[in-house]
């Protein structure tokens, strides 16, 4: 793209596509006989979700949630506000939260608590990326695409100030 802000490539397009298909196959096996409801966290996870869902060979549904985390642009505080709630009632459903990236884990911890209170039959997490060095809370997603180093990542849905979501790979943003 010739953009000076784009640094080292962290995950190549082929590796993304291959791993997403593997995750879809794992979910297909683990949820055999069930009809999972994928809860996609807007906006970053939309890109991952659309590839993942096409790799799941089960009857499944999708719903969307938008949250904003109070804090600075690159640090979340753990105080989360729901901007858009689910349309679906999830009581009794097998719910899989689809996230783009788990950084501190604070956003996900809030979502897990919030959705658990609605009494789904089961609740798991599928995160494309995690940054193990940054994790501040005790949680481990059942499905993880890639563990990445402690860098600010963009591409394949991940943004910096709403840009770079359309990159077909995941790259580190070059520090200014
Ligand atoms: P957490 O609450 O610290 O885990 O942050 C989670 C949210 O912050 C993610 O869902 C992303 O929207 C955003 N985020 C965290 N790290 C990155 C990154 O490296 N690139 C882009 N967005 C990020
Ligand atoms: Mg996000």
């Amino acid at each position: 793209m010739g953009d000076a802000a784009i640094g080292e490539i962290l995950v190549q397009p082929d590796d993304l596509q291959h791993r997403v298909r593997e995750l879809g196959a794992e979910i297909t096996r683990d949820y055999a006989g069930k009809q999972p409801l994928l809860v996609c966290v807007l906006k970053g996870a939309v890109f991952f979700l659309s590839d993942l869902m096409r790799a799941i060979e089960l009857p499944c549904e999708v719903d969307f949630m938008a949250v904003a985390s109070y804090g600075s642009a690159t640090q979340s505080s753990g105080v989360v506000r729901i901007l858009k709630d689910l349309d679906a009632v999830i009581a009794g459903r097998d719910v899989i939260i689809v996230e783009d990236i788990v950084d501190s884990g604070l956003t996900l911890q809030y979502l897990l608590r919030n959705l658990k209170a609605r009494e789904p039959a089961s609740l798991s997490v599928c995160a494309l990326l995690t940054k193990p060095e940054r994790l501040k809370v005790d949680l481990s997603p059942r499905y993880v695409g890639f563990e990445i180093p402690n860098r600010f990542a963009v591409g394949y849905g991940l943004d910096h100030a709403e840009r770079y979501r359309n990159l077909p790979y995941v790259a580190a943003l070059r520090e200014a």
Side-chain angles (χ1 to χ4, degrees):
M1 271 198 137
D3 188 320
I6 302 301
E8 177 197 346
I9 294 191
L10 301 174
V11 191
Q12 294 285 357
D14 286 355
D15 296 325
L16 281 170
Q17 295 306 321
H18 182 251
R19 184 73 186 119
V20 171
R21 279 195 298 272
E22 283 181 350
L23 290 171
E26 260 185 72
I27 290 171
T28 302
R29 278 195 302 275
D30 294 349
Y31 287 79
K34 298 181 175 160
Q35 302 196 12
L37 173 66
L38 307 185
V39 168
C40 176
V41 185
L42 295 170
K43 306 172 193 168
V46 165
F47 303 72
F48 174 42
L49 167 93
S50 74
D51 286 336
L52 178 69
M53 199 168 173
R54 283 175 287 181
I56 298 176
E57 296 176 27
L58 293 171
C60 57
E61 294 167 34
V62 63
D63 202 351
F64 296 93
M65 204 161 167
V67 298
S69 155
Y70 290 106
S72 66
T74 56
Q75 295 270 2
S76 79
S77 62
V79 181
V80 174
R81 190 161 52 106
I82 295 180
L83 301 178
K84 185 222 170 292
D85 205 341
L86 298 174
D87 295 331
V89 172
I90 64 168
R93 301 295 309 267
D94 292 295
V95 174
I96 306 174
I97 299 176
V98 178
E99 253 290 26
D100 50 1
I101 188 163
V102 181
D103 186 56
S104 67
L106 288 163
T107 304
L108 190 56
Q109 183 182 54
Y110 169 85
L111 277 175
L112 282 166
R113 283 194 188 139
N114 184 290
L115 297 187
K116 218 172 262 171
R118 307 182 196 191
E119 303 187 335
S122 66
L123 183 59
S124 71
V125 175
C126 181
L128 177 68
L129 305 169
T130 62
K131 291 183 199 170
E133 288 169 57
R134 296 263 304 172
L135 195 64
K136 282 190 199 153
V137 298
D138 179 26
L139 59 83
S140 53
R142 179 165 178 190
Y143 307 98
V144 173
F146 299 91
E147 295 188 343
I148 62 166
N150 182 12
R151 306 282 297 278
F152 195 83
V154 293
Y156 195 64
L158 297 159
D159 74 304
H160 177 253
E162 295 300 326
R163 284 193 57 198
Y164 309 118
R165 295 192 196 275
N166 56 324
L167 297 176
Y169 48 80
V170 176
L173 193 72
R174 222 185 277 283
E175 310 295 334

